[in-house]
């Protein structure tokens, strides 16, 4: 098989093309530059920012960190900590520590959201049974009726609405 060059490093693209390829706005790309997260390798004679294929990867990396919950300021600090480490093992230990903490936070968020999803499902199940209420029943009677489908404790999300009183 013949050798194929990695054209992502050779292709030079304008900022608008970089924005389209990454789904970001030109303003976002300029902000990344202002924060020192992204540097254009060259400028055209007309002053246009020109990027290599590495710019696409860098923006994808920034986006992934944002998806993990990092703010742009935190990403900048993350890079500063990385650059301050004297050796590669120290730098990688720092990255492991930061990613380990983010993994712990992510798992906690998933567990919390899973509980919330269960509560929502329970509430929707209860509310589905309420469709058979008498049409003229008032809100004050809601969730405090004698119907067979209301013979158990109200889900908290429904109870909070049902017990709401206006001052």
């Amino acid at each position: 098989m013949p050798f194929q060059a990695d054209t992502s490093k050779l292709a030079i693209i304008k900022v608008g093309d970089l924005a389209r390829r990454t789904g970001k706005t030109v303003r976002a790309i300029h902000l990344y530059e202002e924060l020192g997260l992204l540097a254009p390798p060259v400028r055209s004679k007309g002053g246009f920012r020109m990027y290599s294929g590495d710019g696409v990867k860098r923006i994808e990396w920034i986006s992934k960190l944002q998806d993990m919950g990092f703010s742009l300021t935190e990403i900048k600090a993350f890079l500063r900590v990385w650059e301050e480490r004297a050796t590669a093992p120290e730098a990688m230990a720092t990255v492991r520590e930061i990613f380990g903490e983010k993994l712990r936070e992510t798992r906690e968020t998933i567990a919390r959201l899973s509980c919330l999803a269960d509560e929502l499902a329970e509430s929707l199940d209860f509310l589905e049974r309420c469709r058979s209420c008498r049409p003229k029943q008032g809100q004050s009677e809601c969730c405090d009726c004698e119907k067979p489908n209301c013979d158990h404790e109200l889900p908290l999300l429904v109870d909070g609405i049902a017990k709401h009183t206006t001052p």
Side-chain angles (χ1 to χ4, degrees), residues 84-99:
E84 290 172 352
R85 297 302 178 250
T87 66
E90 288 175 0
M92 288 303 177
T94 300
V95 172
R96 268 192 310 277
E97 183 180 320
I98 292 169
F99 285 176

Side-chain angles (χ1 to χ4, degrees), residues 10 26 31 34 40 51 66-67 78 86 98 108 114 122-124 134 141 146-147 156 159 165:
L10 302 175
V26 169
L31 178 60
E34 290 170 23
Y51 298 87
Q66 286 180 305
D67 288 347
F78 175 79
I98 292 169
E108 286 176 2
S114 180
E122 179 186 4
S123 296
L124 286 168
R134 296 184 316 264
E141 301 170 273
E146 305 288 327
K147 297 185 80 154
L156 178 62
D159 192 39
T165 56

Side-chain angles (χ1 to χ4, degrees), residues 45-86:
K45 289 181 183 175
F48 292 104
R49 292 167 167 91
M50 305 297 287
Y51 298 87
S52 71
D54 289 339
V56 172
K57 281 189 169 188
R58 182 63 167 212
I59 291 172
E60 289 172 348
W61 176 78
I62 292 167
S63 294
K64 184 65 70 175
L65 289 177
Q66 286 180 305
D67 288 347
M68 288 192 290
F70 286 96
S71 69
L72 292 177
T73 303
E74 290 170 325
I75 295 171
K76 185 176 178 176
F78 175 79
L79 288 173
R80 189 173 35 254
V81 168
W82 164 267
E83 291 165 354
E84 290 172 352
R85 297 302 178 250

Side-chain angles (χ1 to χ4, degrees), residues 145-158:
C145 62
E146 305 288 327
K147 297 185 80 154
N149 62 343
C150 291
D151 62 351
H152 62 282
E153 190 174 328
L154 294 176
L156 178 62
L157 294 175
V158 176

Side-chain angles (χ1 to χ4, degrees), residues 21-36:
R21 284 174 122 179
T22 61
K24 299 292 183 180
T25 64
V26 169
R27 178 65 194 124
I29 293 170
H30 290 174
L31 178 60
Y32 298 160
E33 284 181 44
E34 290 170 23
L35 293 171

